[in-house]
């Protein structure tokens, strides 16, 4: 039987292996730049995010990384799902749905206003799955990011007099 539970430090190596599998699937392996220690510190010491894992016969076969957000319009918090990944041989068995239902229940239990995430535009199987569960695409928004040198350049604007 599959069990979804909160990750512990003992799970970190298995989670990192799965993160790298996800990066490979998304054709982004070159974007994985963290050390195992950095990843573990970010989760278990700095509490930047939480991780749910799916365990089957004492093996971690999937994970969901999430963190809290805030909506000024709702005046309430929410959950942002950073990653949802299930090993290919365990897909189409309801595990992804169980992860999302677990996160939805956390939202309800903690009086949070929404659960949100992103999906790559070419990932049609996942998009179909999400739409079937009632997810909606927010076409009126662009997802923007500043990182690397651009992040440094932006911070350096504070030094300009």
């Amino acid at each position: 039987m599959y069990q979804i539970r909160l990750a512990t430090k003992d799970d970190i190596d298995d989670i990192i292996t799965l993160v790298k599998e996800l990066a490979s699937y998304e054709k982004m392996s070159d974007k994985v730049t963290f050390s195992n220690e950095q990843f573990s510190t970010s989760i278990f010491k700095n509490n930047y995010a939480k991780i749910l894992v799916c365990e089957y016969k004492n093996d971690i076969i999937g994970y969901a990384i999430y963190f809290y957000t805030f909506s000024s319009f709702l005046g309430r918090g929410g959950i942002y799902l950073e990653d949802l990944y299930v090993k290919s041989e365990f897909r189409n068995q309801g595990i992804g749905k169980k992860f999302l239902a677990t996160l939805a229940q956390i939202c309800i239990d903690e009086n949070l206003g929404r659960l949100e995430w992103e999906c790559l535009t070419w990932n049609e199987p996942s998009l179909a799955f999400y739409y079937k569960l009632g997810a909606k695409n927010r076409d009126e928004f662009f997802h923007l990011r500043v990182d690397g040198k651009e992040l440094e350049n932006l911070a350096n604007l504070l030094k300009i007099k």
Side-chain angles (χ1 to χ4, degrees):
M1 190 64 167
Y2 304 111
Q3 177 193 2
I4 293 185
R5 62 171 175 78
L6 206 53
T8 68
K9 283 184 180 182
D10 292 337
D11 300 320
I12 201 70
D13 290 337
D14 292 329
I15 293 167
I16 288 171
T17 297
L18 294 177
V19 167
K20 291 177 179 178
E21 282 182 25
L22 173 62
S24 177
Y25 173 76
E26 292 184 343
K27 302 169 184 67
M28 295 185 190
S29 292
D30 61 316
K31 305 290 185 206
V32 177
T33 60
F34 60 80
S35 70
N36 289 19
E37 182 181 340
Q38 178 186 28
F39 192 94
S40 182
T41 297
S42 292
I43 301 299
F44 296 109
K45 183 178 178 191
N46 297 335
N47 298 309
Y48 293 148
K50 294 184 179 192
I51 304 176
L52 296 174
V53 294
C54 182
E55 194 171 48
Y56 178 69
K57 294 184 178 179
N58 296 318
D59 289 327
I60 305 296
I61 60 162
Y63 74 94
I65 297 177
Y66 67 98
F67 55 88
Y68 291 90
T69 62
F70 182 78
S71 167
S72 59
F73 289 5
L74 297 178
R76 294 168 42 191
I79 286 179
Y80 185 86
L81 174 61
E82 176 68 19
D83 287 353
L84 174 59
Y85 182 74
V86 176
K87 289 178 121 182
S88 60
E89 62 267 31
F90 293 96
R91 293 183 191 149
N92 299 309
Q93 296 182 40
I95 297 168
K97 189 183 295 185
K98 193 168 181 179
F99 270 125
L100 289 168
T102 300
L103 290 166
Q105 189 63 55
I106 292 169
C107 286
I108 290 167
D109 291 348
E110 297 182 12
N111 194 31
L112 304 173
R114 59 184 169 208
L115 169 61
E116 56 192 339
W117 64 95
E118 294 177 354
C119 184
L120 291 166
T121 57
W122 56 261
N123 192 345
E124 296 194 15
S126 292
L127 286 169
F129 168 68
Y130 296 142
Y131 291 148
K132 187 175 177 184
L133 293 176
K136 298 174 192 76
N137 186 8
R138 298 173 48 205
D139 288 331
E140 67 275 14
F141 290 94
F142 286 109
H143 177 84
L144 304 172
R145 175 181 293 162
V146 178
D147 59 9
K149 187 65 176 163
E150 291 80 14
L151 183 64
E152 291 176 29
N153 291 343
L154 183 56
N156 285 334
L157 292 177
L158 292 174
K159 297 174 186 172
I160 299 173
K161 293 185 181 198

